[in-house]
Amino acid sequence: MAGPIRPTISDVARAAGVSRTTVSHALNGIGKVDPRTRERVVQAAAELGYRPSLRAQRLRSGQSRTIGLVSSMPVAVAGGPSKLGFFMEVAAAAAETALLHGFALVLVPPLDSDPPLDSLDIDGAIVIEPDQDDPTTKRLQSRGVPIVSIGPQRGTDLPHVDLRAPQVGRLLLDHLREQGADRIALLMGSGHRSWYVDLAEVYAEFSREHGMPPLVVEADESGGEETGQAACEELLAQHPEVDAICASVDAFAIGAVRAAESLGLDIPTDLQVATRYDGVRARTSTPTLTAVDLHLAQAAASAVELLLANLKGTEVPQVVTNPPPRLVPRASTLTG
């Protein structure tokens, strides 16, 4: 049995006694329509139960009313086995904000292969913490897709939300020091993301301040927890005096915990571990990990609003600074 026939724009025009063009202008808020005529059209549309075709609106405006959220980080860092990491926390808040503005959000999750970006019909994109030479960002820009990033892309003037990386790094290092650590090693990703570069600079300054010889170890972020563990085991074998590890990503922090276990070290008595992102890994690790609340929901919302403002051509600041980060101390560093 066929369902009810949907009213058309012609039906509304006939009921209101106006042309189809006048109905379109009245309902879409464009053109010059007498207020009384507009009210009559709106009332007729409501009585008939008419809803404008979103497809037709997209064809007229040339917009898809869709934005993309792209992770430039490998799956081992952005999500991990649970798929519930950094990327999905940003996605949840970004989707809500986009919907409130009448836009849909398309997720381009981290993949082991290049995502098919050329097939996406999007008006703009948000890229999460792009590397300095991020190929995803370059491909989007080559298509003329407006971009906003969460975290700056080094060497560019890309509009972005600032996650206060230097302050985050200092929070972690100062906390480890306050908990009694005096030989802190830095476990870094091997890329050139702004967070990595800023953390390395803060660590170098911190080391000079405290007369502590710097000790930086890099691991391939695409290997996630496994490469983090291997790098940490080698580090501790060569430098048994290390009593704390500041891990640039939570996947590496989990690797550090596993390395300590394999070497028979107690956390936090023998080795303290702290990391940046207070996500699922940090909260469910054994022991739980000291981390930082980055206010990712606020960052995601700000990124969407900044992107939409740029799509409209609105003159807005091209850098939005997120609220100050908050340290979340947990069992992996609380020695007393």
Side-chain angles (χ1 to χ4, degrees), residues 97 126 148 161 296-307 320-323:
T97 304
I126 297 168
V148 164
V161 178
L296 281 188
Q298 179 63 54
S302 296
V304 170
E305 289 168 356
L306 181 57
L307 178 60
V320 176
T321 303
N322 220 37

Side-chain angles (χ1 to χ4, degrees), residues 90-256:
V90 172
E96 180 179 352
T97 304
L99 189 59
L100 291 175
H101 287 279
F103 279 72
L105 186 75
V106 172
L107 303 186
V108 185
L111 301 172
D112 292 328
S113 57
D114 289 337
L117 296 175
D118 294 340
S119 65
L120 292 180
D121 182 15
I122 54 177
D123 298 324
I126 297 168
V127 182
I128 300 175
E129 297 204 305
D131 199 290
Q132 182 173 325
D133 298 315
D134 177 43
T136 299
T137 305
K138 290 179 180 179
R139 286 175 62 187
L140 290 169
Q141 288 175 321
S142 69
R143 288 182 52 196
V145 176
I147 300 172
V148 164
S149 65
I150 294 180
Q153 184 180 34
R154 299 195 64 92
T156 74
D157 57 358
L158 205 66
H160 66 273
V161 178
D162 182 4
L163 296 179
R164 299 178 182 253
Q167 189 174 349
V168 171
R170 192 72 202 207
L171 274 175
L172 292 168
L173 294 168
D174 284 344
H175 173 74
L176 291 170
R177 183 78 179 183
E178 290 164 4
Q179 291 299 302
D182 56 17
R183 192 68 173 95
I184 304 170
L186 189 61
L187 182 54
M188 293 281 291
S190 55
H192 293 89
R193 304 185 191 283
S194 184
W195 158 240
Y196 294 165
V197 177
D198 288 341
L199 177 59
E201 291 175 353
V202 169
Y203 176 74
E205 180 182 354
F206 176 87
S207 299
R208 287 192 298 270
E209 286 179 11
H210 296 283
M212 182 184 73
L215 184 53
V216 180
V217 178
E218 290 188 355
D220 181 0
E221 62 180 12
S222 66
E225 297 170 7
E226 291 183 1
T227 55
Q229 178 177 349
C232 193
E233 286 176 347
E234 183 176 352
L235 164 70
L236 294 173
Q238 295 178 359
H239 299 276
E241 74 278 10
V242 167
D243 56 5
I245 291 178
C246 180
S248 60
V249 294
D250 55 351
F252 288 172
I254 295 296

